[in-house]
Amino acid sequence: METAFSPTDGPVPDRVTVTGDARLVAPDEFRATFGETLAQTLDLKTWRPGEDLASLYETLEAEVKRALAHEGDAVATIRRTVLPRIAGRPRAPAEAGV
């Protein structure tokens, strides 16, 4: 049976099931990131029509710049934590985790 990363990590699930009160993103983290609650984000009455495209493009550009600024941190975390685990897998190819 294949395991997630090592024999002590357990089997690889066919799918991930979220039960109970498990959340991928905490409500306060969502609000801090997007400046509004998830309910506000999903409320179609708060969406702006596409008439103000210049403003929407400015917002999109700013959000992409912020995402790119955080990309380096994400890459560093993956290289530090995930890639070494891939390289250590049984029967991993020589280039695994590079």
Side-chain angles (χ1 to χ4, degrees), residues 14-29:
D14 292 330
R15 70 180 121 173
V16 176
T17 303
V18 178
T19 59
D21 195 31
R23 295 187 175 118
L24 297 177
V25 177
D28 56 336
E29 184 180 354

Side-chain angles (χ1 to χ4, degrees), residues 30-97:
F30 186 93
R31 180 186 277 276
T33 301
F34 297 103
E36 61 186 3
T37 66
L38 179 59
Q40 291 168 318
T41 301
L42 298 176
D43 183 359
L44 296 180
K45 292 181 272 183
T46 65
W47 291 23
R48 294 183 292 182
E51 299 166 2
D52 190 10
L53 289 179
S55 175
L56 291 174
Y57 284 129
E58 287 177 21
T59 301
L60 178 61
E61 184 176 357
E63 290 176 2
V64 168
K65 283 181 181 179
R66 275 196 308 261
L68 289 173
H70 294 293
E71 181 180 26
D73 293 338
V75 169
T77 299
I78 290 169
R79 288 188 182 280
R80 185 177 63 252
T81 60
V82 176
L83 295 182
R85 294 179 88 175
I86 293 171
R89 298 268 302 152
R91 299 182 310 278
E95 298 82 17

